[in-house]
Amino acid sequence: MFSFVYDLWPAMEDIIVEYIDLDFTLWLSWLLMPLLITFLLPLVIVLLLYLNTLIIYIYKLHRARLRNAYGTAWRDAALHMMAAVWDGHGWIWHGYEIQGLENIPQDKPVLFIYYHGAIPIDMYYFISKIFLYNSKLICTVGDRFLFKIPGWSVIADVAKIIPGTIQTCSAILKEGNMLAISPGGVYEAQFGDSYYELMWKKRMGFAKVALDAKVNIIPVFTRNVREAFRTVSWGRRIWLKIYAKTKFPFAPIYGGFPVKLVTYVGKPIPYDGNLTPEELQLKVANTLRDLIRKHQKVPGNIMRGLIERIRKVEEYEN
């Protein structure tokens, strides 16, 4: 076998030297490397999600042994492990931190309303940190297409991610839990840009939920979330048409840039039974816009986000 390879190698070497320009190949790989890295980094997030799935299945299959080891149910043990993975990733890659934790009540249900980045990586970090340090899990509303992805159901079961109707969301809050909703959803994720405009259309389901459950609303925004991941700007009309017909996010996402991420938790908007859903939606939208204007310089800039990793973050009034 080895002699055959030894005899074959000179012929292969002649072919490589004659037909392949090694210098050009090396130059081309150097030229395309930033592009390859830019589009491959989002796959890291997918790999982390499937790593979470693997961890959960391990706990599920071996829960008897793990329960004896950790003294708790397999779901809780798996959730702690998953939260630790995301918290570590946020700290290492984005220097992630939260400001305004004092605005989160310790003994009351609350509805978080947040701006949706191209990938809601900030909410993975936010929910993980709150769970690890406050022992409270924030339930989240996910788009229905997520539940069609193989392996997602087990993550949704453990992390309490739900498709979310007004009735189910209200019931979760009435049970004393915390809930996070992005009114812009996938539409805002796919077609938002570095100007951080809210893209809620006329969605006010969250307002109906808050009024029915009689809970406070807390706006949440993460600085530079659009600089960490972005959707491509070309072919916008095509992606819009495809999304309108399929409700599936086909617009390509690129990024994974290690920009500074800081989540700002705004002051609670108290429950007011005199407000209509339309009035409450407008009030929350204006409050979230104020939070964005205060903490995000627009248009967002990737290089500026990278620089903010090594210097103090300034406040901006746009």
Side-chain angles (χ1 to χ4, degrees):
M1 178 63 180
F2 289 105
S3 60
F4 172 76
V5 173
Y6 183 79
D7 294 335
L8 184 62
W9 174 248
M12 293 177 61
E13 188 176 22
D14 291 337
I15 292 173
I16 292 173
V17 171
E18 183 175 354
Y19 294 102
I20 298 177
D21 188 334
L22 293 179
D23 291 332
F24 174 76
T25 302
L26 290 173
W27 175 84
L28 188 63
S29 63
W30 173 84
L31 180 66
L32 296 179
M33 186 60 66
L35 184 63
L36 291 173
I37 293 175
T38 296
F39 280 93
L40 287 176
L41 278 175
L43 293 178
V44 174
I45 302 302
V46 177
L47 291 175
L48 276 176
L49 288 172
Y50 276 95
L51 175 62
N52 290 164
T53 301
L54 176 62
I55 291 171
I56 293 171
Y57 272 123
I58 290 173
Y59 275 106
K60 184 176 182 180
L61 293 173
H62 301 284
R63 57 186 180 275
R65 297 184 182 89
L66 293 171
R67 186 181 295 114
N68 293 332
Y70 293 99
T72 185
W74 73 269
R75 281 185 176 84
D76 191 54
L79 189 58
H80 275 85
M81 175 63 75
M82 188 164 63
V85 169
W86 285 109
D87 187 57
H89 183 272
W91 178 69
I92 294 171
W93 198 246
H94 294 288
Y96 180 74
E97 59 180 288
I98 302 174
Q99 293 188 16
L101 282 173
E102 66 278 2
N103 293 324
I104 303 176
Q106 296 296 316
D107 55 354
K108 293 181 180 179
V110 67
L111 175 60
F112 295 99
I113 299 298
Y114 65 96
Y115 173 85
H116 203 306
I119 293 179
I121 187 77
D122 56 324
M123 293 309 294
Y124 303 160
Y125 301 150
F126 178 70
I127 292 170
S128 297
K129 193 171 286 292
I130 295 297
F131 177 73
L132 289 173
Y133 294 98
N134 291 0
S135 299
K136 291 185 177 182
L137 177 62
I138 301 174
C139 304
T140 53
V141 174
D143 196 275
R144 295 183 183 278
F145 87 88
L146 291 171
F147 299 88
K148 299 177 183 179
I149 299 176
W152 178 263
S153 59
V154 68
I155 295 179
D157 175 47
V158 171
K160 303 302 179 186
I161 303 171
I162 61 172
T165 63
I166 293 175
Q167 292 73 24
T168 55
C169 290
S170 180
I172 287 174
L173 291 167
K174 288 178 179 178
E175 292 171 359
N177 300 301
M178 296 188 293
L179 180 67
I181 298 176
S182 172
V186 174
Y187 182 79
E188 188 172 78
Q190 286 273 281
F191 305 110
D193 56 29
S194 57
Y195 283 89
Y196 290 86
E197 294 291 337
L198 299 184
M199 305 182 73
W200 293 4
K201 296 185 175 181
K202 295 183 179 180
R203 297 176 182 176
M204 59 186 70
F206 76 91
K208 296 177 180 179
V209 168
L211 291 172
D212 183 65
K214 298 179 173 60
V215 297
N216 296 345
I217 293 177
I218 295 182
V220 175
F221 170 71
T222 301
R223 182 191 188 96
N224 293 325
V225 67
R226 277 278 165 193
E227 279 56 72
F229 291 94
R230 289 182 173 180
T231 50
V232 296
S233 57
W234 48 265
R236 181 182 176 86
R237 292 184 179 179
I238 297 175
W239 306 125
L240 274 169
K241 289 180 180 179
I242 294 176
Y243 178 78
K245 292 183 178 180
T246 65
K247 300 301 179 184
F248 197 88
F250 280 107
I253 296 173
Y254 67 96
F257 305 109
V259 297
K260 178 69 175 181
L261 293 183
V262 182
T263 293
Y264 297 93
V265 181
K267 293 187 179 299
I269 300 172
Y271 164 74
D272 184 352
N274 295 320
L275 294 177
T276 65
E278 292 82 2
E279 292 170 337
L280 181 57
Q281 190 242 35
L282 181 61
K283 184 175 183 179
V284 175
N286 288 335
T287 304
L288 187 53
R289 288 191 186 100
D290 290 341
L291 202 63
I292 294 172
R293 281 195 293 266
K294 182 178 180 180
H295 300 293
Q296 180 70 54
K297 186 175 179 61
V298 296
N301 183 279
I302 295 173
M303 183 58 66
R304 184 171 59 242
L306 294 171
I307 293 174
E308 288 175 356
R309 285 294 306 274
I310 57 177
R311 68 174 177 82
K312 184 179 179 180
V313 174
E314 297 177 356
E315 303 301 336
Y316 295 100
E317 289 290 348
N318 297 291

